């Protein structure tokens, strides 16, 4: 039996619209993925650059040494650059960021201000991850803080990451357990002059130190955009295939 295709104007128009939208959105998601690939390459390049040495000399720059003013403003020009800061921790202002799991265990990120040597400014340091006590929800873990002048090495980040806020946000105060923390909130609560970025402290875990510094890699969302692109292209292909199949079915019924 010879196949016969029944051409219908309205279904054709609807199919063209759906296919065009699917292809356009698929192309858009593909471009977004390509942009994120470029961003990931830029971040890798920053990670390989010489570390920034945060000094107290204002805007003076000398080799890889910069003053604190060079890092103020938008975080993105120096985000994910390595950094080295000398000064002292402010041990009276620890804040614990809740709902930060690691290796399948519940825990906190420990955030603490760090006073820059020779300056009246501070930088908020994410010292690492600490496990939660499964027997007592509100109990914070024990940890040690270096006394006196020390040097912290880490990565510049724009924020500590956001999690879903459960209930009313707790006030920022010494020893507080909070869901999320902004530098501006910490500066306002503590009265300290804080740089507008954070430092993810890096380095090996010392013997007996419960603080873990195994930071997750930044998620640029490349896989997500690629997945969305595949879905939109698949929608366009399915719409075209559906039009062809229903056209042949309608043609067969006319013959019968």
């Amino acid at each position: 039996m010879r196949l016969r295709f029944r051409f219908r104007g309205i279904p054709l128009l609807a199919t063209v619209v759906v296919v065009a939208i699917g292809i356009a959105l698929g192309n858009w998601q593909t471009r977004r993925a390509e942009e994120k690939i470029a961003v990931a390459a830029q971040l890798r390049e920053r990670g390989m650059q010489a570390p920034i040495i945060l000094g107290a000399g204002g805007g003076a720059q000398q080799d890889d040494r910069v003053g604190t003013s060079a890092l103020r403003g938008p975080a993105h020009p120096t985000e994910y650059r390595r950094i080295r800061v000398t000064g002292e921790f402010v041990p009276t202002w620890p804040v614990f960021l809740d709902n930060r799991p690691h290796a399948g265990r519940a825990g906190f990120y420990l955030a603490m201000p760090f006073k820059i040597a020779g300056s009246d400014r501070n930088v908020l340091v994410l010292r690492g991850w600490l496990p939660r006590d499964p027997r007592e929800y509100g109990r914070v873990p024990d940890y040690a803080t270096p006394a006196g002048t020390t040097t912290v090495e880490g990565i510049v980040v724009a924020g500590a990451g956001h999690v879903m806020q459960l209930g009313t946000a707790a006030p920022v105060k010494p020893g507080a357990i909070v869901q999320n923390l902004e530098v501006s909130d910490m500066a306002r609560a503590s009265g300290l002059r804080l740089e507008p970025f954070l430092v993810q402290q890096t380095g090996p875990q010392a013997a007996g130190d419960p603080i873990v510094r195994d930071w997750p890699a930044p998620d640029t969302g490349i896989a997500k955009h690629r997945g969305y692109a595949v879905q939109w292209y698949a929608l366009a292909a399915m719409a075209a295939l559906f039009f062809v199949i229903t056209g042949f079915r309608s043609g067969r019924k006319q013959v019968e």
Side-chain angles (χ1 to χ4, degrees):
M1 182 178 68
R2 189 175 65 178
L3 295 176
R4 183 176 178 180
F5 185 86
R6 183 184 178 187
F7 180 85
R8 293 177 296 176
I10 293 178
L12 174 63
L13 179 61
T15 300
V16 170
V17 171
V18 173
V19 169
I21 291 175
I23 292 176
L25 290 175
N27 290 341
W28 175 62
Q29 291 292 345
T30 298
R31 290 193 298 271
R32 291 287 292 153
E34 292 172 350
E35 291 171 1
K36 294 296 181 69
I37 290 172
V39 170
Q42 185 180 35
L43 295 182
R44 286 194 300 270
E45 181 182 354
R46 289 182 183 179
M48 292 185 292
Q49 293 175 356
I52 297 168
I53 299 177
L54 193 59
Q61 297 190 26
Q62 191 175 41
D63 298 328
D64 58 352
R65 180 179 297 273
V66 298
T68 56
S69 63
L71 285 175
R72 296 176 195 152
H76 64 82
T78 52
E79 191 170 10
Y80 297 110
R81 281 285 305 273
R82 291 183 296 143
I83 190 169
R84 186 179 300 134
V85 192
T86 299
E88 298 181 36
F89 281 108
V90 182
T92 56
W93 261 99
V95 175
F96 299 87
L97 278 65
D98 201 1
N99 292 323
R100 297 316 201 270
H102 174 73
R105 299 176 62 193
F108 311 90
Y109 284 166
L110 171 60
M112 188 176 291
F114 187 87
K115 187 177 185 302
I116 303 168
S119 170
D120 63 347
R121 300 193 66 87
N122 300 260
V123 62
L124 189 57
V125 175
L126 296 173
R127 296 188 56 194
W129 178 87
L130 286 165
R132 175 189 291 282
D133 187 341
R135 297 165 298 181
E136 190 175 347
Y137 179 83
R139 182 169 180 247
V140 297
D142 296 328
Y143 61 92
T145 300
T149 302
T150 186
T151 298
V152 169
E153 295 188 358
I155 304 295
V156 175
V157 292
H162 284 260
V163 300
M164 181 181 296
Q165 179 66 50
L166 303 176
T168 304
V172 178
K173 60 182 181 180
I177 298 176
V178 299
Q179 304 287 335
N180 300 293
L181 180 65
E182 300 292 339
V183 173
S184 57
D185 296 335
M186 185 71 169
R188 187 163 44 250
S190 65
L192 298 172
R193 298 184 65 193
L194 288 168
E195 297 293 343
F197 58 89
L198 295 89
V199 173
Q200 280 183 349
Q201 187 176 357
T202 57
Q205 184 177 4
D209 187 355
I211 299 178
V212 179
R213 299 186 182 96
D214 181 19
W215 300 105
D219 181 15
T220 55
I222 296 172
K224 178 185 69 176
H225 289 296
R226 284 175 171 170
Y228 287 157
V230 170
Q231 292 177 16
W232 286 117
Y233 288 141
L235 175 65
M238 288 174 61
L241 184 61
F242 180 78
F243 175 75
V244 172
I245 292 175
T246 54
F248 278 117
R249 283 182 177 175
S250 297
R252 186 177 63 182
K253 289 180 181 179
Q254 279 189 330
V255 173
E256 293 175 353

